Amino acid sequence: MIAARLIVERDFVISELDRRVFGTFVEHLGRCVYTGIFEPGHPSADARGFRGDVMALVRELGPTVVRYPGGNFLSGYNWEDGVGPVDERPVRLDLAWFSTETNRFGTNEFIDWCKAAGVEPMLGVNLGTRGPDEARRFLEYCNHPGGTALSELRKRHGYPAPHDVKLWCLGNEMDGPWQISGKTAEEYGRAARETAKVMRWVDPRIQLAACGSSNHEMPTYAAWEDRVLDHCYDDVDLLSLHMYFENPKRSTAEMFGNIEVMDLFIQEIVAVADSVAARRRSTKRMMLSFDEWNVWYKARSTADLRQPGWPERPRLLEEVYNFEDALVVGGALIVLMNHADRVKVACLAQLVNVIGAIMTEPGGPAWRQTIFHPFAHASRFARGRVLRPLVESPSYAAQTFPEIPYLCASAVDDSTTGTTAVFALNRHLSDEMELRVELRGLGAERRIDHALTLAHPDLKAINHRDAPDTVVPRANPHVTVDGETLLIRLPPASWNVIVTSAAKR
Ligand code: AHR
């Protein structure tokens, strides 16, 4: 048994949590849209073709924001192809995923789906093959109330009220050589600025996210952000970060280092953004949109990325998540919460089938992947102010990161209800952890509302269609309360949530 301590103090607040950090992502890629969220003819589908079984799981998962339509797909997308009478929509080659795109699902269907799911849409404008003109026209189509050709077109398409989309991505991963019509930092920075300018003229209420580096290991990492922000610092609200966790050594202990690298990544991008601010003598602080993150390394072969013959809805990126992956996803959620002062939007990539939290079979069932559970916990229970965590824990050394504390934790306090949620990952693979949580100034006479743990003897255990509940959270009976202190026994290699309220504050 190892021992660790988490201390939080009522007044030591990182920031109010922006619940848009519990976003996800739907791309026109593989089976995310088609036979994922949308499958006319499926036994559970409604009149619009939205799968009811997937919708029920999405509501349980609890995303707040969904990013759409890509991803790499965005950089070759014509938004006009996806609106208007379905039978008149063009069928196109998608050069991002070498697939055939039928456009039977487009922006208006997505907005309808978001309303049904109770989530906020985050749309992207194509800054690969297109530019500011199409972006401002797309925004006018979506958000302008009426009286112009494009807003009237939307009305003729059956949408009299504007969609009022607030969150917009200015392109996707524009530094990537894989991107359709990628750009240098100078080219992209200028395009982002000019696009942001005209989009704001159309609708000043929007929030805009500029592309940061495609990942932490890009050769132009950090320099890209510096150059891009030099051009568009005053014109955008958010800078994007993307990260996919890998496991090249097939070692869980090494893989946990990804969580620390994600933390470092955020710190580094904050430093770069703040240095741009310093050069400009700007008091504005750039906020971050971590709008693609997940584990992704198993379904990454050439056959997982593209299939010959320009197929429709091929099985691409269908990563099957194991228990170990769920732990890493839990750690990433803790990192995002603990950076609540700068990370205001984040999207687990993606929602269904394609590196998805949910899996489906065409015409068949839908089920929860292992990573579904920590996300659903965080989205359900993390509300209010993120408290600054003081963590005391033994640690270990790894190649992915030099010092990894066994305990990774965050605490979020909702002062309106007197409820505090503690999220804790025990990264020790063989030892239980005796965790002492001191909730200082948050009220005594505490009641335990929920004590949940995700643990499994087999780190490689998966959920699949015939055994969808192999990895599921269970109640943790080993929690005691002593005044303001909680004592919890965490199983080895486990994700844990303790939700507690104070009778008196
Ligand atoms: O999420 C899968 C792909 O990963 C996205 O299309 C792209 O933005 C990233 O490289």
Side-chain angles (χ1 to χ4, degrees), residues 291-453:
D291 46 40
E292 284 187 37
W293 68 271
N294 202 346
V295 173
W296 175 23
Y297 67 95
K298 298 176 217 87
R300 227 169 166 161
S301 69
T302 310
D304 290 309
L305 297 176
R306 73 155 85 168
Q307 289 170 12
W310 299 97
E312 275 180 42
R313 48 176 192 280
R315 288 182 184 262
L316 300 179
L317 283 66
E318 298 206 0
E319 183 103 348
V320 175
Y321 289 109
N322 59 33
F323 168 56
E324 160 188 90
D325 300 330
L327 297 175
V328 176
V329 163
L333 287 160
I334 288 172
V335 168
L336 293 171
M337 290 189 264
N338 283 342
H339 284 285
D341 53 338
R342 297 304 283 265
V343 181
K344 300 297 176 184
V345 179
C347 302
L348 176 76
Q350 298 190 7
L351 182 60
V352 191
N353 292 328
V354 173
I355 42 176
I358 298 166
M359 286 298 275
T360 70
E361 270 304 315
W367 63 97
R368 302 166 191 83
Q369 293 239 52
T370 60
I371 61 168
F372 182 102
H373 296 293
F375 189 99
H377 286 157
S379 173
R380 178 171 169 206
F381 295 121
R383 289 164 197 275
R385 308 162 314 149
V386 183
L387 304 176
R388 191 165 296 288
L390 197 156
V391 168
E392 285 178 10
S393 164
S395 56
Y396 67 98
Q399 283 172 11
T400 41
F401 208 79
E403 190 181 353
I404 303 177
Y406 288 112
L407 174 64
C408 174
S410 65
V412 188
D413 180 61
D414 186 347
S415 51
T416 59
T417 58
T419 304
T420 312
V422 172
F423 303 91
L425 190 65
N426 176 9
R427 288 186 275 199
H428 203 293
L429 298 178
S430 52
D431 282 2
E432 286 185 318
M433 177 183 283
E434 186 68 46
L435 174 62
R436 182 183 164 90
V437 181
E438 295 178 25
L439 300 170
R440 296 185 182 168
L442 291 166
E445 294 181 38
R446 301 205 73 88
R447 184 185 66 220
I448 302 295
D449 300 330
H450 302 276
L452 299 166
T453 190

Side-chain angles (χ1 to χ4, degrees), residues 25 27 29 71-72 97 172-173 244 292 296 317 350 355:
F25 177 28
E27 178 167 3
L29 193 184
N72 297 338
W97 303 105
N172 176 71
E173 295 191 350
Y244 290 102
E292 284 187 37
W296 175 23
L317 283 66
Q350 298 190 7
I355 42 176

Side-chain angles (χ1 to χ4, degrees), residues 18-199:
D18 191 327
R19 287 190 36 84
R20 296 178 304 173
V21 298
F22 303 125
T24 64
F25 177 28
V26 166
E27 178 167 3
H28 282 255
L29 193 184
R31 300 193 306 115
C32 189
V33 172
Y34 304 108
T35 73
I37 62 172
F38 177 72
E39 189 179 341
H42 186 275
S44 75
D46 67 11
R48 297 165 295 188
F50 301 161
R51 274 184 72 147
D53 55 351
V54 173
M55 187 67 84
L57 288 177
V58 170
R59 291 202 185 105
E60 184 186 326
L61 183 71
T64 49
V65 164
V66 179
R67 182 171 176 251
Y68 173 88
N72 297 338
F73 174 79
L74 176 64
S75 296
Y77 186 52
N78 299 332
W79 65 268
E80 301 90 334
D81 293 347
V83 296
V86 171
D87 292 337
E88 292 170 21
R89 296 185 193 172
V91 174
R92 303 245 188 232
L93 295 183
D94 163 27
L95 302 186
W97 303 105
F98 295 88
S99 309
T100 295
E101 173 56 54
T102 62
N103 285 304
R104 299 194 80 76
F105 188 96
T107 302
N108 294 325
E109 288 79 18
F110 177 66
I111 298 290
D112 283 343
W113 183 87
C114 286
K115 285 196 178 128
V119 301
E120 179 182 351
M122 180 185 203
L123 293 182
V125 295
N126 172 358
L127 293 190
T129 55
R130 309 190 88 188
D133 191 43
E134 291 80 6
R136 57 120 186 165
R137 290 167 61 84
F138 185 27
L139 178 60
E140 185 181 326
Y141 177 89
C142 288
N143 283 12
H144 197 68
T148 65
L150 289 165
S151 53
E152 292 300 317
L153 181 65
R154 183 198 64 238
K155 290 186 185 179
R156 284 202 299 283
H157 290 163
Y159 296 85
H163 294 326
D164 257 333
V165 178
K166 294 276 172 334
L167 273 173
W168 293 82
C169 300
L170 296 168
N172 176 71
E173 295 191 350
M174 298 308 304
D175 59 334
W178 57 84
Q179 205 62 222
I180 304 169
S181 200
K183 289 187 164 40
T184 65
E186 306 299 336
E187 289 166 348
Y188 173 69
R190 290 257 317 130
R193 185 175 82 192
E194 293 306 312
T195 305
K197 188 176 81 183
V198 294
M199 287 180 77

Side-chain angles (χ1 to χ4, degrees), residues 275-292:
S275 84
V276 178
R279 278 208 303 274
R280 308 170 77 81
R281 318 292 189 275
S282 173
T283 53
K284 171 179 173 178
R285 284 296 169 268
M286 185 61 58
M287 297 298 148
L288 307 185
S289 173
F290 215 122
D291 46 40
E292 284 187 37

